[in-house]
Amino acid sequence: MSASLEQLRRCHFAVDLGAARTRVYVKGAGLVVDQPSVAAVNTRNGALIAVGEFAERMTGRTPDYIRVVRPVSGGTVIDIEMAQRMLRHLLGDRMRRALRRKPRLRAAACTPHDADPLAQRATVETLVGLGARRVELVDTLIAAAVGCGLPVERAEATMILMCGAAATQVAVLSLGSIVTAQRMPVGGEAVDRAIVQHLRHEHALMLPSQSVRPLQLALHGNGLTAQGPASTEIHGRDVATGLVRSVLVDTAAVREAIQTPLTTVLDGIYKVLRECPPDLVADLADRGIVMVGGSALLPGLDEMLREATGMPVNIADRPDVCAVLGLGEMLEGRVEPLVLDPLGA
């Protein structure tokens, strides 16, 4: 964490710019924005037509002169100007006016664990464009650990698995900092793409993932586990004719199709455990892994990780908003720093 708790207590609002959703926490007001990181733009005049959920529903359904864009990719801002315009509309005029009245407006933001200086600078410039005089950056893993109630400030190991839309991060934390961490470039979107490709190759069926979550259709019930339903009916468009068609899909084949991205996640967990000191690994054997992030709700993922690692695996109460709630806890001053008694005191 590059910002101290004292610096974060002076901040007025916090932003979690994710690949899938943007969340804003305002000090004293709580979570005020939780919307998809999507904007729709009129390419003829540059006007912003819609943001958030309305813009996401427009994906794949717009005429040529309307473009649906995502200014954030993998937790990194790739279009600063569009990200600023999106945030202004998501906050609304009333909230923006309230923030502008703050003397020396300060903001906090989450950044991925391995974010390079350019990615960090893009996040800072995005919030400076909203009027922030100073921006404090916090590692997403630490913010999520605080948000789900893990005792990160203690001298004991806690392991967190953050399952995002574009990437998955895993880390072991102790004494308020990260001991070892790993980032895998696969997330919920990679699993969705694997299912869509499987249906296209095996059944010649095109599935519009923007309008229908294939995961929820193909992996309901126990999901990734063998105890799930044997088959399920999927509706889509025939590749050859373009007509609507329904097929009966074997869920065992779907589970096989998504093994590649899930194996990458397991490899990252194993690498972190190998690099972790033995004393901390002993703590993890009892406490296990806590899953956060929107993709942590993938049906059966926790059970699959439990079987593969032999460790307890638990999903946080509100896994999708843990990071921004953790920032909120720091802003509100509810997180106490670790105090060491000096020798001889």
Side-chain angles (χ1 to χ4, degrees):
M1 180 168 55
S2 55
S4 67
L5 288 174
E6 186 59 36
Q7 290 172 324
L8 290 171
R9 287 193 185 101
R10 299 192 188 118
C11 293
H12 301 97
F13 71 103
V15 178
D16 178 15
L17 284 167
R21 300 184 74 86
T22 293
R23 300 176 176 95
V24 180
Y25 185 102
V26 175
K27 192 173 185 177
L31 186 63
V32 297
V33 173
D34 184 2
Q35 293 280 338
S37 304
V38 187
V41 185
N42 187 328
T43 57
R44 293 174 178 173
N45 54 20
L48 196 62
I49 298 174
V51 295
E53 292 180 354
F54 186 33
E56 188 175 49
R57 290 198 298 268
M58 296 169 65
T59 305
R61 297 178 172 85
T62 60
D64 294 339
Y65 66 91
I66 296 179
R67 187 164 57 99
V68 179
V69 297
R70 290 182 177 271
V72 184
S73 176
T76 301
V77 179
I78 57 176
D79 188 338
I80 295 175
E81 182 184 358
M82 186 56 64
Q84 291 174 348
R85 296 175 68 186
M86 180 185 72
L87 277 171
R88 289 192 193 102
H89 281 77
L90 289 176
L91 282 170
D93 293 337
R94 183 178 178 183
M95 185 58 68
R96 291 206 316 273
R97 285 196 298 268
L99 290 175
R100 280 199 297 264
R101 287 196 291 267
K102 304 287 186 182
R104 293 192 59 83
L105 183 64
R106 289 173 176 250
C110 289
T111 55
H113 174 65
D114 59 349
D116 55 57
L118 286 177
Q120 294 179 1
R121 183 177 179 83
T123 302
V124 171
E125 289 187 4
T126 300
L127 298 185
V128 167
L130 291 178
R133 301 288 297 275
R134 184 181 175 90
V135 180
E136 308 291 352
L137 299 180
V138 180
D139 194 299
T140 304
L141 291 167
I142 294 181
V146 172
C148 64
L150 290 178
V152 294
E153 75 283 355
R154 299 181 187 173
E156 56 188 40
T158 54
M159 190 171 189
I160 186 167
L161 179 69
M162 186 157 194
C163 308
T168 302
Q169 302 176 78
V170 59
V172 175
L173 299 93
S174 181
L175 288 174
S177 61
I178 295 174
V179 178
T180 179
Q182 188 72 19
R183 182 179 184 272
M184 294 75 73
V186 296
E189 293 176 353
V191 176
D192 283 356
R193 284 194 300 270
I195 296 177
V196 171
Q197 291 173 3
H198 169 76
L199 294 174
R200 183 184 179 93
H201 294 157
E202 298 297 326
H203 301 277
L205 197 72
M206 292 181 63
L207 195 64
S209 57
Q210 297 89 355
S211 59
V212 179
R213 291 285 294 176
L215 224 48
Q216 304 304 321
L217 291 173
L219 295 177
H220 59 85
N222 291 322
L224 303 178
T225 62
Q227 290 76 30
S231 62
T232 186
E233 189 177 20
I234 300 290
H235 306 282
R237 189 177 71 180
D238 190 278
V239 173
T241 65
L243 301 176
V244 177
R245 184 163 62 90
S246 300
V247 296
L248 199 62
V249 178
D250 181 10
T251 52
V254 175
R255 287 195 296 270
E256 183 67 26
I258 64 177
Q259 283 306 307
T260 299
L262 295 180
T263 300
T264 304
V265 174
L266 283 174
D267 290 342
I269 294 175
Y270 295 151
K271 184 175 182 181
V272 167
L273 290 174
R274 286 195 301 268
E275 295 175 352
C276 189
D279 290 342
L280 295 182
V281 174
D283 291 343
L284 296 176
D286 297 329
R287 297 182 180 89
I289 306 171
V290 176
M291 297 174 61
V292 298
S295 298
L297 299 173
L298 175 62
L301 178 59
D302 55 337
E303 187 172 338
M304 189 205 75
L305 294 176
R306 196 176 297 117
E307 293 175 357
T309 62
M311 299 166 58
V313 178
N314 302 298
I315 302 176
D317 290 337
R318 299 179 65 188
D320 51 339
V321 294
C322 280
V324 72
L325 291 182
L327 284 178
E329 292 287 308
M330 299 175 192
L331 262 62
E332 303 286 0
R334 301 191 187 112
V335 180
E336 295 296 330
L338 178 67
V339 179
L340 299 176
D341 294 330
L343 294 176

PDB file of all heavy atoms in Angstrom, residues 52-65:
ATOM      1  N   GLY A  52     -22.935   3.311 -17.905  1.00  0.00           N
ATOM      2  CA  GLY A  52     -23.392   2.310 -16.940  1.00  0.00           C
ATOM      3  C   GLY A  52     -24.257   1.226 -17.543  1.00  0.00           C
ATOM      4  O   GLY A  52     -24.014   0.748 -18.656  1.00  0.00           O
ATOM      5  N   GLU A  53     -25.296   0.850 -16.816  1.00  0.00           N
ATOM      6  CA  GLU A  53     -26.142  -0.274 -17.214  1.00  0.00           C
ATOM      7  C   GLU A  53     -26.851  -0.018 -18.542  1.00  0.00           C
ATOM      8  O   GLU A  53     -26.983  -0.931 -19.367  1.00  0.00           O
ATOM      9  CB  GLU A  53     -27.167  -0.564 -16.114  1.00  0.00           C
ATOM     10  CG  GLU A  53     -26.554  -1.109 -14.828  1.00  0.00           C
ATOM     11  CD  GLU A  53     -27.593  -1.378 -13.762  1.00  0.00           C
ATOM     12  OE1 GLU A  53     -28.778  -1.033 -14.004  1.00  0.00           O
ATOM     13  OE2 GLU A  53     -27.236  -1.912 -12.699  1.00  0.00           O
ATOM     14  N   PHE A  54     -27.311   1.209 -18.763  1.00  0.00           N
ATOM     15  CA  PHE A  54     -28.010   1.508 -20.015  1.00  0.00           C
ATOM     16  C   PHE A  54     -27.063   1.350 -21.205  1.00  0.00           C
ATOM     17  O   PHE A  54     -27.430   0.795 -22.248  1.00  0.00           O
ATOM     18  CB  PHE A  54     -28.579   2.926 -19.962  1.00  0.00           C
ATOM     19  CG  PHE A  54     -29.441   3.278 -21.141  1.00  0.00           C
ATOM     20  CD1 PHE A  54     -30.225   2.316 -21.761  1.00  0.00           C
ATOM     21  CD2 PHE A  54     -29.460   4.566 -21.644  1.00  0.00           C
ATOM     22  CE1 PHE A  54     -31.024   2.630 -22.851  1.00  0.00           C
ATOM     23  CE2 PHE A  54     -30.245   4.893 -22.738  1.00  0.00           C
ATOM     24  CZ  PHE A  54     -31.026   3.918 -23.340  1.00  0.00           C
ATOM     25  N   ALA A  55     -25.821   1.820 -21.050  1.00  0.00           N
ATOM     26  CA  ALA A  55     -24.841   1.679 -22.135  1.00  0.00           C
ATOM     27  C   ALA A  55     -24.488   0.212 -22.354  1.00  0.00           C
ATOM     28  O   ALA A  55     -24.294  -0.215 -23.504  1.00  0.00           O
ATOM     29  CB  ALA A  55     -23.582   2.488 -21.807  1.00  0.00           C
ATOM     30  N   GLU A  56     -24.426  -0.576 -21.288  1.00  0.00           N
ATOM     31  CA  GLU A  56     -24.098  -1.993 -21.443  1.00  0.00           C
ATOM     32  C   GLU A  56     -25.194  -2.729 -22.210  1.00  0.00           C
ATOM     33  O   GLU A  56     -24.910  -3.619 -23.015  1.00  0.00           O
ATOM     34  CB  GLU A  56     -23.886  -2.637 -20.074  1.00  0.00           C
ATOM     35  CG  GLU A  56     -23.358  -4.055 -20.144  1.00  0.00           C
ATOM     36  CD  GLU A  56     -23.053  -4.628 -18.773  1.00  0.00           C
ATOM     37  OE1 GLU A  56     -23.920  -4.515 -17.886  1.00  0.00           O
ATOM     38  OE2 GLU A  56     -21.955  -5.172 -18.574  1.00  0.00           O
ATOM     39  N   ARG A  57     -26.451  -2.348 -21.981  1.00  0.00           N
ATOM     40  CA  ARG A  57     -27.553  -2.979 -22.715  1.00  0.00           C
ATOM     41  C   ARG A  57     -27.528  -2.630 -24.199  1.00  0.00           C
ATOM     42  O   ARG A  57     -28.115  -3.335 -25.019  1.00  0.00           O
ATOM     43  CB  ARG A  57     -28.896  -2.573 -22.105  1.00  0.00           C
ATOM     44  CG  ARG A  57     -29.161  -3.174 -20.740  1.00  0.00           C
ATOM     45  CD  ARG A  57     -30.634  -3.118 -20.383  1.00  0.00           C
ATOM     46  NE  ARG A  57     -31.128  -1.746 -20.310  1.00  0.00           N
ATOM     47  CZ  ARG A  57     -31.161  -1.018 -19.206  1.00  0.00           C
ATOM     48  NH1 ARG A  57     -30.708  -1.526 -18.069  1.00  0.00           N
ATOM     49  NH2 ARG A  57     -31.639   0.221 -19.217  1.00  0.00           N
ATOM     50  N   MET A  58     -26.842  -1.554 -24.545  1.00  0.00           N
ATOM     51  CA  MET A  58     -26.753  -1.145 -25.946  1.00  0.00           C
ATOM     52  C   MET A  58     -25.688  -1.905 -26.724  1.00  0.00           C
ATOM     53  O   MET A  58     -25.635  -1.799 -27.953  1.00  0.00           O
ATOM     54  CB  MET A  58     -26.466   0.365 -26.019  1.00  0.00           C
ATOM     55  CG  MET A  58     -27.567   1.233 -25.442  1.00  0.00           C
ATOM     56  SD  MET A  58     -27.081   2.966 -25.254  1.00  0.00           S
ATOM     57  CE  MET A  58     -26.862   3.444 -26.951  1.00  0.00           C
ATOM     58  N   THR A  59     -24.836  -2.662 -26.044  1.00  0.00           N
ATOM     59  CA  THR A  59     -23.742  -3.371 -26.710  1.00  0.00           C
ATOM     60  C   THR A  59     -24.277  -4.325 -27.773  1.00  0.00           C
ATOM     61  O   THR A  59     -25.135  -5.169 -27.491  1.00  0.00           O
ATOM     62  CB  THR A  59     -22.907  -4.158 -25.686  1.00  0.00           C
ATOM     63  OG1 THR A  59     -22.454  -3.272 -24.663  1.00  0.00           O
ATOM     64  CG2 THR A  59     -21.719  -4.827 -26.357  1.00  0.00           C
ATOM     65  N   GLY A  60     -23.770  -4.191 -28.994  1.00  0.00           N
ATOM     66  CA  GLY A  60     -24.192  -5.059 -30.083  1.00  0.00           C
ATOM     67  C   GLY A  60     -25.539  -4.721 -30.678  1.00  0.00           C
ATOM     68  O   GLY A  60     -26.026  -5.449 -31.552  1.00  0.00           O
ATOM     69  N   ARG A  61     -26.172  -3.616 -30.225  1.00  0.00           N
ATOM     70  CA  ARG A  61     -27.515  -3.271 -30.699  1.00  0.00           C
ATOM     71  C   ARG A  61     -27.587  -1.843 -31.225  1.00  0.00           C
ATOM     72  O   ARG A  61     -28.674  -1.274 -31.294  1.00  0.00           O
ATOM     73  CB  ARG A  61     -28.527  -3.445 -29.564  1.00  0.00           C
ATOM     74  CG  ARG A  61     -28.663  -4.860 -29.047  1.00  0.00           C
ATOM     75  CD  ARG A  61     -29.650  -4.911 -27.888  1.00  0.00           C
ATOM     76  NE  ARG A  61     -29.955  -6.267 -27.489  1.00  0.00           N
ATOM     77  CZ  ARG A  61     -29.243  -6.987 -26.644  1.00  0.00           C
ATOM     78  NH1 ARG A  61     -28.145  -6.465 -26.123  1.00  0.00           N
ATOM     79  NH2 ARG A  61     -29.583  -8.211 -26.333  1.00  0.00           N
ATOM     80  N   THR A  62     -26.456  -1.252 -31.568  1.00  0.00           N
ATOM     81  CA  THR A  62     -26.442   0.157 -31.942  1.00  0.00           C
ATOM     82  C   THR A  62     -26.203   0.320 -33.441  1.00  0.00           C
ATOM     83  O   THR A  62     -25.609  -0.550 -34.087  1.00  0.00           O
ATOM     84  CB  THR A  62     -25.320   0.888 -31.185  1.00  0.00           C
ATOM     85  OG1 THR A  62     -24.053   0.288 -31.520  1.00  0.00           O
ATOM     86  CG2 THR A  62     -25.530   0.804 -29.689  1.00  0.00           C
ATOM     87  N   PRO A  63     -26.671   1.444 -34.007  1.00  0.00           N
ATOM     88  CA  PRO A  63     -26.326   1.754 -35.404  1.00  0.00           C
ATOM     89  C   PRO A  63     -24.849   2.100 -35.528  1.00  0.00           C
ATOM     90  O   PRO A  63     -24.133   2.213 -34.526  1.00  0.00           O
ATOM     91  CB  PRO A  63     -27.225   2.961 -35.728  1.00  0.00           C
ATOM     92  CG  PRO A  63     -27.561   3.547 -34.400  1.00  0.00           C
ATOM     93  CD  PRO A  63     -27.595   2.416 -33.426  1.00  0.00           C
ATOM     94  N   ASP A  64     -24.385   2.305 -36.761  1.00  0.00           N
ATOM     95  CA  ASP A  64     -22.957   2.488 -37.019  1.00  0.00           C
ATOM     96  C   ASP A  64     -22.374   3.709 -36.322  1.00  0.00           C
ATOM     97  O   ASP A  64     -21.199   3.710 -35.958  1.00  0.00           O
ATOM     98  CB  ASP A  64     -22.708   2.595 -38.530  1.00  0.00           C
ATOM     99  CG  ASP A  64     -23.015   1.295 -39.250  1.00  0.00           C
ATOM    100  OD1 ASP A  64     -23.030   0.247 -38.576  1.00  0.00           O
ATOM    101  OD2 ASP A  64     -23.252   1.328 -40.480  1.00  0.00           O
ATOM    102  N   TYR A  65     -23.173   4.762 -36.151  1.00  0.00           N
ATOM    103  CA  TYR A  65     -22.611   6.001 -35.613  1.00  0.00           C
ATOM    104  C   TYR A  65     -22.561   6.029 -34.079  1.00  0.00           C
ATOM    105  O   TYR A  65     -22.074   7.000 -33.500  1.00  0.00           O
ATOM    106  CB  TYR A  65     -23.400   7.212 -36.130  1.00  0.00           C
ATOM    107  CG  TYR A  65     -24.832   7.284 -35.643  1.00  0.00           C
ATOM    108  CD1 TYR A  65     -25.157   7.974 -34.476  1.00  0.00           C
ATOM    109  CD2 TYR A  65     -25.857   6.661 -36.351  1.00  0.00           C
ATOM    110  CE1 TYR A  65     -26.460   8.038 -34.029  1.00  0.00           C
ATOM    111  CE2 TYR A  65     -27.167   6.728 -35.908  1.00  0.00           C
ATOM    112  CZ  TYR A  65     -27.456   7.408 -34.753  1.00  0.00           C
ATOM    113  OH  TYR A  65     -28.745   7.467 -34.311  1.00  0.00           O
TER     114      TYR A  65
END
